[in-house]
Amino acid sequence: MKDVYLFSGFLGSGKTTLLKHIIQQVKDQGLVPAVFMNELGEMNFDSDEIVDGVPQKELLDGCICCTGSEKSEAQIQTLLAEEEFDVLLIETTGAAHPVEALDAVFSPLFAERLNFKGIVTVADSKRWLDRSKLSPQIRSLYLEQIRHADLILANKMDLLSEEEQAKVTYEIQSLNSSAQIIQTVQAKVPMAALEKIAPSVKGEVQKAPVSKLNLNAQVLHFDAPVKRDVFEQWLRALPESVFRIKGYVPLEGDKYPHAFQYAYGMAQWLPEYMKMRPQIVVIGENLEEVKLP
């Protein structure tokens, strides 16, 4: 399995700088890094900065989340099929919610080949102090990126006084008490800090190994076809802590499993015309009791 790290953070926080630091450290260990970058514009400004020779895919003018998820899956799948690498580094756009980004990473097509280590969020410390000036929607996203992190880099500490540094660290820790916080300048952090993010082990259900204390993922396998009404009844009974489900559901009477997606209480079924592995990936919080009907 290949270790995967997802870099999150608001626009201009220092994610690409972090990416370049980690690429070099992975190479110094004698390992081969690969990169998947998500950029909002049509030009790959940030990806031009990545070291030559590093396997790389990118999603331009879209978001790794929501409608861009399928394109992201295709790019990651191409990396797995065509390139030899040891560590996959994913940089999300500054407009991506980490929960949404995980939707693309945990594709049922390759989830079991990836060892998702965790979410590293780069927080702009100066922006934190000025967060009240952000619009409510942007401020909410900014806080969400920090809230769902496994490791937080309180970046740009050199721009703050000692009193401000202490204030930022305390307030961010209060927002996410589960994540380790490291004060950084130019997003410099040792790779060892990322490697210490350990996967959580819960329950007996086979799952994708996710380290997030709040967010977890499970890969659930179907032993036999199910009735659609039974499956949809199961969906309605799921706790609100289930954010995403996607995969291939085998229905009674149909030759091939149906492609299936679920988000925010809404389900989508799409017919498939080839044999797909009958399994789904569930992403959310407190998934220990989530089992197939």
Side-chain angles (χ1 to χ4, degrees), residues 10-82:
F10 200 66
L11 299 166
S13 60
K15 295 189 302 297
T16 303
T17 302
L18 168 66
L19 181 62
K20 291 192 290 183
H21 291 322
I22 297 303
I23 286 174
Q24 187 58 54
Q25 292 185 63
V26 170
K27 295 177 72 173
D28 290 344
Q29 293 180 358
L31 302 175
V32 178
V35 172
F36 176 68
M37 299 186 71
N38 177 206
E39 303 183 57
L40 285 177
E42 297 180 357
M43 298 296 292
N44 54 346
F45 295 113
D46 288 341
S47 58
D48 288 341
E49 300 183 32
I50 302 306
V51 180
D52 290 339
V54 175
Q56 178 180 337
K57 293 293 181 181
E58 59 197 9
L59 175 65
L60 299 177
D61 201 23
C63 183
I64 189 174
C65 56
C66 305
T67 55
S69 179
E70 292 183 359
K71 294 180 181 179
S72 300
E73 289 180 18
Q75 296 284 44
I76 295 173
Q77 190 172 21
T78 300
L79 271 176
L80 288 168
E82 298 180 355

Side-chain angles (χ1 to χ4, degrees), residues 141-198:
L141 173 62
Y142 179 58
L143 296 179
E144 284 292 288
Q145 291 171 339
I146 295 172
R147 184 178 289 116
H148 289 285
D150 296 297
L151 174 65
I152 300 170
L153 306 186
N155 199 29
K156 304 183 182 182
M157 278 289 170
D158 54 323
L159 303 180
L160 308 182
S161 66
E162 290 187 5
E163 181 179 352
E164 289 173 329
Q165 292 176 5
K167 176 180 174 64
V168 168
T169 303
Y170 174 78
E171 291 180 348
I172 290 180
Q173 188 74 78
S174 298
L175 180 64
N176 184 346
S177 60
S178 299
Q180 179 187 7
I181 297 179
I182 300 178
Q183 296 182 347
T184 59
V185 176
Q186 295 293 316
K188 291 183 179 179
V189 63
M191 183 65 190
L194 276 65
E195 294 171 334
K196 289 179 181 178
I197 305 176

Side-chain angles (χ1 to χ4, degrees), residues 99-137:
V99 174
E100 303 278 359
L102 282 180
D103 184 43
V105 177
F106 286 104
S107 165
L109 298 175
F110 49 70
E112 293 172 314
R113 299 176 61 188
L114 302 179
N115 177 30
F116 188 79
K117 296 285 288 182
I119 298 172
V120 181
T121 293
V122 185
D124 185 329
S125 299
K126 187 70 173 177
R127 187 182 296 276
W128 175 267
L129 294 176
D130 297 331
R131 64 189 183 281
S132 62
K133 299 178 182 178
L134 299 172
S135 68
Q137 182 179 9

